[in-house]
Amino acid sequence: MRTLDVVGDPWALQIIKEAFLGVRRFQDFQSRLGITRQTLILRLNRFTEEALMYKAPVQDGRLVHEYRLTPKGADLYSFIIMVWRWHSHWHADASILPARLYHSNCGKLLQPEMCCHACQGEIAIEDVTFRSINKAAAVAGSNGRRPRIVNKLEDLGSDYLATVVIGDGWSIQILTVIMRGVYNYDAIRKVLGISSNVLSARLKTLLSLDLLQVQGDDRDGRLVSYHLTEKGRGIFPMILALMQWGDHWMAGSTGPADLLLHDGCGHILEHRVQCAHCRERLRLEDVSFTSPP
């Protein structure tokens, strides 16, 4: 999945988050994130190459450059808001975004919800059908680059949950496959083309984070299957937002790999992130970190 080549990286998530918080200059990204200069250069160059950001010259006593989000980069907003919602509910001590966000249109504390664009019903994972329509797209785009391996939780820092789930390419792919109804170890390995040692390490991590649970086979106790916990199910809106962003901006000539149907209304699923209070669609400019006057 080519989307993960661009944003499926531990630092990528952090940089995008800071951009939505208004950070634009190289030294500000570096000081806020504690990232090395070379690593930051590589990520920002990749974002400009992929048109998620552009460099804007600014006069501030001297000529400097700012890294600003393009429409393509800004369209990741619903994904970031869903990451924030999940962290706010399950991992409140993580610094994904400020603890309190406000919707300026209605003046209420932000409570985002992901709904079906067609029927306005809130989207639940059990109400979505995945229909594979393009096998070529499912395997295209990685250019031989494999997701980063994360084995130790203590290496991931204060934002480790988002880093494991989104910033580590294998973890998000494993969760997506399980969401599609593939529960058996060998079946997961076959679908993803992942080595046994990497899959075992990822499953161990996802189990330890209480995102997955193991269920035994009633007929053969030696066989187990992997299923989402309630906490793991809460990740679905994040993955859906990222999938549909990739379908829109990154699919290229191959088109999307999957067609998603909303069983609640029968329409092709297109998500909409809106305020739970006033039910208006959330826009970046309408969400603030301070309470409206």
Side-chain angles (χ1 to χ4, degrees):
M1 186 161 53
R2 187 165 176 267
T3 300
L4 295 180
D5 283 349
V6 180
V7 298
D9 170 273
W11 283 119
L13 176 62
Q14 301 293 333
I15 294 168
I16 291 168
K17 177 255 293 185
E18 291 297 324
F20 278 114
L21 290 174
V23 178
R24 293 181 174 180
R25 298 190 179 183
F26 185 96
Q27 62 270 26
D28 294 331
F29 281 112
Q30 189 174 21
S31 62
R32 286 174 62 90
L33 293 174
I35 185 174
T36 66
R37 179 179 177 83
Q38 184 61 25
T39 299
L40 182 56
I41 288 172
L42 290 173
R43 298 308 186 279
L44 290 175
N45 284 347
R46 184 66 188 271
F47 287 161
T48 55
E49 290 169 4
E50 295 288 348
L52 272 72
M53 290 181 171
Y54 67 97
K55 289 177 68 173
V58 177
Q59 285 289 346
D60 186 13
R62 59 186 178 88
L63 181 64
V64 296
H65 286 90
E66 293 185 343
Y67 291 86
R68 301 180 181 179
L69 291 167
T70 63
K72 180 178 179 180
D75 200 34
L76 283 165
Y77 186 59
S78 62
F79 161 68
I80 290 292
I81 285 293
M82 289 296 100
V83 173
W84 174 82
R85 185 181 78 161
W86 184 77
H87 267 266
S88 297
H89 183 73
W90 291 105
H91 195 61
D93 59 330
S95 55
I96 289 296
L97 286 175
R100 290 175 178 265
L101 297 178
Y102 294 88
H103 187 216
S104 58
N105 291 25
C106 65
K108 300 288 184 65
L109 272 172
L110 184 64
Q111 292 185 24
E113 59 183 11
M114 179 174 278
C115 298
C116 171
H117 186 77
C119 69
Q120 302 299 303
E122 191 163 7
I123 298 169
I125 186 172
E126 61 268 18
D127 298 328
V128 176
T129 297
F130 290 79
R131 184 174 296 170
S132 180
I133 58 172
N134 190 344
K135 291 184 178 180
V139 298
S142 68
N143 297 319
R145 181 173 172 268
R146 307 308 291 169
R148 175 181 180 270
I149 294 176
V150 177
N151 290 317
K152 296 182 179 180
L153 298 183
E154 58 267 26
D155 292 340
L156 299 173
S158 62
D159 291 332
Y160 70 84
L161 280 180
T163 303
V164 167
V165 175
I166 304 300
D168 173 61
W170 280 129
S171 294
I172 189 174
Q173 290 188 75
I174 291 167
L175 290 170
T176 301
V177 165
I178 292 172
M179 287 177 183
R180 295 184 58 174
V182 181
Y183 307 119
N184 176 268
Y185 181 96
D186 289 334
I188 295 170
R189 187 166 61 86
K190 182 178 180 180
V191 169
L192 293 179
I194 184 174
S195 67
S196 295
N197 64 317
V198 173
L199 177 56
S200 296
R202 287 310 186 285
L203 289 172
K204 182 179 179 181
T205 296
L206 295 171
L207 286 166
S208 70
L209 293 174
D210 193 30
L211 300 177
L212 295 180
Q213 58 187 342
V214 174
Q215 294 183 9
D217 190 291
D218 293 336
R219 294 168 296 180
D220 187 343
R222 296 171 299 176
L223 300 177
V224 298
S225 55
Y226 296 89
H227 298 265
L228 297 167
T229 61
E230 183 182 356
K231 187 177 181 180
R233 288 161 57 86
I235 290 170
F236 176 66
M238 279 190 251
I239 292 180
L240 177 60
L242 192 59
M243 285 177 62
Q244 296 204 325
W245 178 85
D247 289 346
H248 180 72
W249 293 102
M250 306 292 291
S253 59
T254 60
D258 296 302
L259 180 68
L260 274 62
L261 301 176
H262 186 215
D263 299 337
C265 64
H267 285 84
I268 295 173
L269 181 60
E270 179 183 349
H271 78 271
R272 165 190 169 104
V273 176
Q274 62 187 30
C275 172
H277 297 292
C278 66
R279 301 188 67 80
E280 288 190 14
R281 188 167 197 157
L282 292 178
R283 301 182 303 168
L284 175 61
E285 59 267 28
D286 296 330
V287 176
S288 65
F289 311 136
T290 56
S291 178

